[in-house]
Amino acid sequence: MSVWKRPKGFEWIAALLLFLMLREWLLPLQELTDTGTLAPFLVIAAGVLLMDLVVPYRWLTFPVKLVGLLVILHSSFFAISFFDGQWLRELFVRVVHDLPLALQQEWTAMTPLSRNALFDLLLVVLISMLSYLVLEQRQGLWFVFLTELYLAVLDTFMPYEADGGIVRTLVYGFLLLAVTQLLVMSNKAPITGGRRWTLWKSLLAPVLIVAVTVGIANAAPKKEASWPDPIAFFTGQKGGLGDGLMKKVGYDNNDEHLGGPFTMDETVVFMAITNERSYWRGDSKDVYTGSGWKKRDGEFDEILTPKSYRWNHALFEGMETKEVKASLEFQGPKFPTVFYPGQLKQLTDYTPSKATLVYDKEHQHVEVRNGTIRLVKQSGRGAAVGPHTQMLNLDNYQLVAEVPIISEKAMIQAGTDYPEAIRQRYLQLPDSLPPRIRDLAQQVTKDAKTPYEKVRAIENYLRTSGEYKYETKDVQMPAPGEDFVDQFLFETRRGYCDHFSTSMAVMLRTIGIPARWVKGFAPGHRVGSDGNGNELVEVRNKDAHSWVEVYFPGHGWIPFEATSTFVSPIRVKYDRQTTEQQAPLPLPDLGGTTAEERRNGRLDELEGSVSTSGSSIDIPWQVYAFGLGLLAVAGAVAWKRRRHFAVWWLQQQMSSYPNDRYEDRYRLLLRLVEHLYSRRRQGETLREYVSRLVISGDKRQDLWYLTHVYERMLYGYKDIEAKARSVAEQVIERLTRQLKP
């Protein structure tokens, strides 16, 4: 009995094609799991196919396959000798301990050694079965179909681009079917002698057919998809959507292609108890590509005991701060990211308790890992331990952080002595950036002297100039090769937080001010309190938000808000000792309105519009002539008294707002003043505008007082709001009655 056989040439080709198809099954592991290298798995696949090809009796190959499996495990996880029985005992103990976890599908709780051992064993069994069914029984069609289905599912429902794999599998599969069919024919009608080349010539036809059809299909123009990627829609991810396709809002890590419309998602992400409402910071990105944001490599700290770790001056320093304590309980989608207000100081408690952290010191991003992992042993030194390579989503955690209180005087005096590392990283811009973006930034900041004043000028321009509208549905995707910021600033002029924040960061970089893009969640909606003075806040998917951080020498990264319909994330202390006016302040703060009003309510919509409808009744022309004449007279009277109508309308709107909505009532009053006296100029601050108005002394004094209260409320000083609200409302009522054409 011979233990060897001599495979035919076609059998070698069939085995090679089957190996290439198996490789397509393994390639996604590196992107979708914590697999470091595919080399051991590819060696197993090749070894099993080779042994099944040359050994006719499979029961003889199993011991050899088992020994090969042990060799691969030893080389991957152990540094001691292969013939030292200690590593075999440790392998046995690990597998026996983790086998119940595998049966319970608790894969992440298993050690990497036992996971690899069981997976490798399963791989050997499955490939042996495949080689029998496909290579010996010639039943390959089902496997080709299953491989295509597998790749299509991954491409549709997972973050894996399988386009190339689907095409390659199509080529491998058709050739495999052709080769196995020729093998069946040769076994039924053996060809000997000089006619053996007939079979090889027969293979030429399917090769040419596959090459031509796949080549034409790959090179031919293709129609864009007529429906969105289902996973991008259901989870709110932004990648891969064409112009006009709707997606859901939400937090995700892919920001390389910004833009396009989205719909609101009311799914609750987490509930938080906190003594201070603020933005929940997740991550920052520093490379603007022209279509979105990416991150350069950072500097990382491995945190194995998070509860004892302290962050000091991670974002900012040298300024007054307020300590914030918060407790977050996740109820919907979870993330391997710690969200925190201001800058993080300590993570005091969390669940699951096995979590470890990896801290990106460059971007201040805190990533959660699934416990620790035991690294390769070193002879005589024990085992090194590090954070697990697999991400972990926390169920809840408690933290201590601090939010800044900005001193205008300190910011103005910060200067421009930026460290070289900050300049190199945070002044980056693509070479293809249109020059008119820089021209616009220079025009907006031409009257500003210091970086802080320039930052405020650009922030104020995007928020309050009226040039740009907050919009979530009627939003275009940039065309191929079109710059995202350029399209927003000069073409569409409508968008949401990603448009406003990216535009501000890029405009600042064009004039030499280091800035970066930050993402996370807006403060959320207050739903109650805990009885100890803390607020209970509900944060939903629709609260996903992005803003800007600007670097100031000696102070670090300070947040700014460019989106007109969101509250500024910073408090400002007006301690500037100068006769000059304050830096531009963002006007349209709609923090007192509901989420839907914030998204849909623009100040210019308060003017309303009137439309007329025609009639289908047959009316004599004389009636039309009389009606047109009457309309002309009414139009002339209305035009002459247009200011009276506008003032009357705004006064009616004022009465529709309750007294607790001070910000809205103040903005309506400001529009009333603009209709009666003078329009506010572009880039003009509130204080500059009030100083310029030609009005009586008592009206100016009242308007000064109301403006001061508005600014203090805008930046979160609740003590001012409590003491001055009743007086301010009385002043608004008196001033509204006094303002007449």
Side-chain angles (χ1 to χ4, degrees):
M1 180 182 66
S2 175
V3 296
W4 303 101
K5 66 177 180 179
R6 295 180 59 184
K8 299 177 181 179
F10 277 8
E11 291 177 327
W12 286 107
I13 295 176
L16 176 61
L17 293 171
L18 180 58
F19 171 78
L20 293 175
M21 292 183 66
L22 288 170
R23 178 176 174 270
E24 297 299 334
W25 281 79
L26 296 172
L27 285 177
L29 296 179
Q30 212 161 13
E31 187 169 335
L32 301 179
T33 69
D34 59 345
T35 302
T37 176
L38 296 177
F41 305 141
L42 295 175
V43 169
I44 290 174
V48 171
L49 290 175
L50 179 62
M51 280 187 282
D52 288 345
L53 197 63
V54 300
V55 179
Y57 306 102
R58 295 184 179 276
W59 59 271
L60 287 177
T61 64
F62 184 77
V64 180
K65 294 173 184 176
L66 184 59
V67 171
L69 178 62
L70 293 175
V71 170
I72 291 174
L73 287 173
H74 173 269
S75 62
S76 300
F77 289 92
F78 297 95
I80 61 177
S81 171
F82 178 78
F83 299 101
D84 189 334
Q86 181 181 355
W87 74 271
L88 282 173
R89 288 191 293 272
E90 183 173 350
L91 173 63
F92 177 77
V93 170
R94 294 285 182 89
V95 171
V96 171
H97 177 270
D98 291 347
L99 191 57
L101 296 175
L103 297 177
Q104 298 170 14
Q105 300 182 12
E106 295 286 344
W107 316 115
T108 57
M110 300 171 61
T111 61
L113 177 60
S114 57
R115 271 193 297 163
N116 275 265
L118 295 176
F119 181 77
D120 290 348
L121 183 60
L122 180 64
L123 200 61
V124 168
V125 175
L126 289 178
I127 296 176
S128 298
M129 294 174 59
L130 281 174
S131 67
Y132 172 75
L133 293 172
V134 177
L135 298 182
E136 293 189 19
Q137 299 298 316
R138 321 300 186 200
Q139 300 177 9
L141 180 60
W142 67 272
F143 184 63
V144 176
F145 173 78
L146 190 62
T147 305
E148 292 285 5
L149 180 63
Y150 163 75
L151 294 174
V153 169
L154 290 186
D155 185 77
T156 304
F157 295 99
M158 299 290 285
Y160 178 70
E161 294 291 336
D163 295 353
I166 291 174
V167 175
R168 290 192 299 268
T169 299
L170 194 66
V171 174
Y172 303 151
F174 281 152
L175 291 179
L176 178 62
L177 294 177
V179 170
T180 53
Q181 186 62 28
L182 288 174
L183 278 172
V184 172
M185 294 172 59
S186 66
N187 291 334
K188 292 182 177 180
I191 299 177
T192 58
R195 300 180 61 188
R196 289 182 177 177
W197 286 104
T198 304
L199 281 177
W200 291 100
K201 293 177 183 178
S202 302
L203 186 61
L204 184 61
V207 170
L208 290 176
I209 292 174
V210 171
V212 171
T213 53
V214 173
I216 293 176
N218 190 50
K222 302 170 184 63
K223 184 180 179 181
E224 293 293 334
S226 57
W227 60 82
D229 187 337
I231 285 304
F233 178 80
F234 287 125
T235 65
Q237 294 177 359
K238 302 177 181 179
L241 287 174
D243 188 12
L245 296 178
M246 191 68 68
K247 59 202 174 195
K248 286 190 177 182
V249 66
Y251 184 93
D252 68 271
N253 291 320
N254 182 6
D255 304 295
E256 296 185 13
H257 299 283
L258 299 177
F262 66 78
T263 182
M264 291 297 110
D265 184 2
E266 299 288 341
T267 303
V268 176
V269 179
F270 61 85
M271 302 293 295
I273 299 176
T274 177
N275 63 322
E276 178 77 9
R277 291 180 63 192
S278 182
Y279 281 11
W280 302 96
R281 190 186 191 279
D283 198 2
S284 66
K285 297 192 175 182
D286 50 15
V287 178
Y288 176 65
T289 64
S291 58
W293 291 93
K294 297 193 299 186
K295 292 173 66 171
R296 287 194 182 97
D297 292 336
E299 183 181 354
F300 300 94
D301 274 350
E302 297 180 346
I303 305 174
L304 300 183
T305 55
K307 293 181 183 179
S308 61
Y309 190 87
R310 301 292 186 275
W311 285 267
N312 293 311
H313 307 308
L315 275 171
F316 46 80
E317 60 182 341
M319 65 183 68
E320 184 180 351
T321 62
K322 178 179 179 179
E323 185 177 79
V324 180
K325 294 183 178 180
S327 174
L328 284 71
E329 180 80 29
F330 284 81
Q331 298 184 359
K334 300 177 183 179
F335 308 93
T337 296
V338 174
F339 298 98
Y340 55 90
Q343 69 177 359
L344 186 62
K345 294 176 63 178
Q346 184 183 1
L347 199 64
T348 57
D349 198 10
Y350 47 85
T351 303
S353 59
K354 63 180 178 180
T356 56
L357 304 177
V358 173
Y359 175 56
D360 183 351
K361 294 191 290 186
E362 187 62 50
H363 303 94
Q364 290 76 44
H365 175 224
V366 183
E367 189 175 75
V368 186
R369 298 294 181 86
N370 185 22
T372 59
I373 186 172
R374 190 174 183 182
L375 305 179
V376 177
K377 285 188 174 182
Q378 299 180 1
S379 301
R381 298 185 182 180
V385 176
H388 204 289
T389 56
Q390 189 176 44
M391 307 295 183
L392 179 67
N393 299 327
L394 291 179
D395 298 324
N396 56 73
Y397 51 87
Q398 298 176 15
L399 56 85
V400 178
E402 57 186 5
V403 294
I405 300 175
I406 305 303
S407 164
E408 275 201 331
K409 180 178 180 180
M411 293 298 101
I412 290 173
Q413 295 175 351
T416 59
D417 188 17
Y418 304 115
E420 185 60 29
I422 294 292
R423 290 179 177 273
Q424 291 181 359
R425 182 180 286 263
Y426 296 105
L427 292 179
Q428 170 273 336
L429 289 169
D431 296 335
S432 60
L433 188 76
R436 60 180 178 174
I437 298 177
R438 179 180 287 105
D439 295 340
L440 177 62
Q442 292 173 346
Q443 177 186 349
V444 172
T445 60
K446 62 182 179 181
D447 297 326
K449 299 178 182 179
T450 65
Y452 176 75
E453 292 170 317
K454 292 179 180 180
V455 171
R456 283 296 201 178
I458 291 178
E459 180 189 50
N460 183 66
Y461 171 74
L462 292 171
R463 287 175 62 88
T464 69
S465 67
E467 294 287 334
Y468 306 102
K469 180 180 179 182
Y470 185 89
E471 176 64 51
T472 61
K473 294 182 179 180
D474 185 15
V475 183
Q476 297 181 10
M477 285 286 291
E482 185 178 20
D483 187 86
F484 174 73
V485 171
D486 184 78
Q487 182 210 40
F488 170 68
L489 290 178
F490 301 102
E491 304 297 335
T492 63
R493 299 177 182 268
R494 62 179 62 212
Y496 37 89
C497 58
D498 291 347
H499 297 77
F500 287 89
S501 57
T502 299
S503 297
M504 181 176 177
V506 171
M507 290 175 71
L508 288 173
R509 289 186 177 190
T510 62
I511 57 175
I513 298 178
R516 64 186 181 186
W517 189 72
V518 188
K519 59 185 299 185
F521 288 95
H525 179 64
R526 184 182 186 275
V527 294
S529 62
D530 66 349
N532 297 320
N534 298 317
E535 292 184 298
L536 178 61
V537 177
E538 185 179 70
V539 177
R540 298 175 179 266
N541 259 337
K542 66 182 182 182
D543 295 312
H545 188 50
S546 61
W547 59 96
V548 180
E549 286 180 349
V550 183
Y551 185 84
F552 290 92
H555 299 283
W557 294 101
I558 306 301
F560 290 88
E561 178 55 80
T563 309
S564 59
T565 55
F566 284 80
V567 182
S568 175
I570 60 173
R571 296 180 173 207
V572 178
K573 184 165 61 176
Y574 299 104
D575 55 357
R576 223 166 111 181
Q577 300 299 323
T578 175
T579 58
E580 298 179 3
Q581 295 295 326
Q582 298 285 356
L585 293 173
L587 170 62
D589 173 26
L590 306 183
T593 62
T594 65
E596 291 303 318
E597 289 170 333
R598 288 208 315 269
R599 294 184 182 91
N600 301 322
R602 297 283 296 178
L603 292 179
D604 55 357
E605 292 177 1
L606 294 172
E607 297 177 356
S609 61
V610 179
S611 61
T612 60
S613 59
S615 175
S616 59
I617 302 176
D618 188 13
I619 302 175
W621 68 270
Q622 294 89 345
V623 177
Y624 280 116
F626 178 81
L628 289 174
L630 201 60
L631 286 175
V633 173
V637 173
W639 175 258
K640 188 175 181 179
R641 299 183 62 83
R642 62 187 183 279
R643 295 179 66 192
H644 293 76
F645 286 120
V647 170
W648 174 83
W649 172 256
L650 290 173
Q651 288 175 339
Q652 294 301 311
Q653 290 294 309
M654 182 74 75
S655 62
S656 67
Y657 284 107
N659 289 341
D660 59 350
R661 292 175 62 173
Y662 174 82
E663 296 93 339
D664 297 320
R665 292 169 65 83
Y666 172 84
R667 285 191 291 273
L668 278 175
L669 179 65
L670 200 66
R671 289 190 65 83
L672 189 60
V673 172
E674 286 184 305
H675 275 286
L676 291 174
Y677 297 100
S678 173
R679 293 284 182 179
R680 188 177 169 202
R681 297 169 183 169
Q682 179 177 322
E684 192 175 34
T685 65
L686 292 175
R687 299 188 184 190
E688 291 171 347
Y689 174 67
V690 174
S691 299
R692 182 172 57 83
L693 289 175
V694 181
I695 55 178
S696 61
D698 57 338
K699 293 179 181 178
R700 183 190 303 279
Q701 184 177 1
D702 287 345
L703 198 55
W704 266 112
Y705 175 78
L706 295 174
T707 301
H708 176 73
V709 173
Y710 174 80
E711 290 177 345
R712 305 292 279 183
M713 293 180 67
L714 179 66
Y715 291 100
Y717 282 84
K718 299 178 181 178
D719 54 330
I720 297 294
E721 178 183 353
K723 291 185 295 185
R725 179 179 296 277
S726 60
V727 176
E729 292 300 335
Q730 295 175 14
V731 174
I732 285 182
E733 293 291 344
R734 181 175 68 245
L735 196 55
T736 301
R737 290 193 300 269
Q738 292 175 351
L739 293 175
K740 297 179 180 180

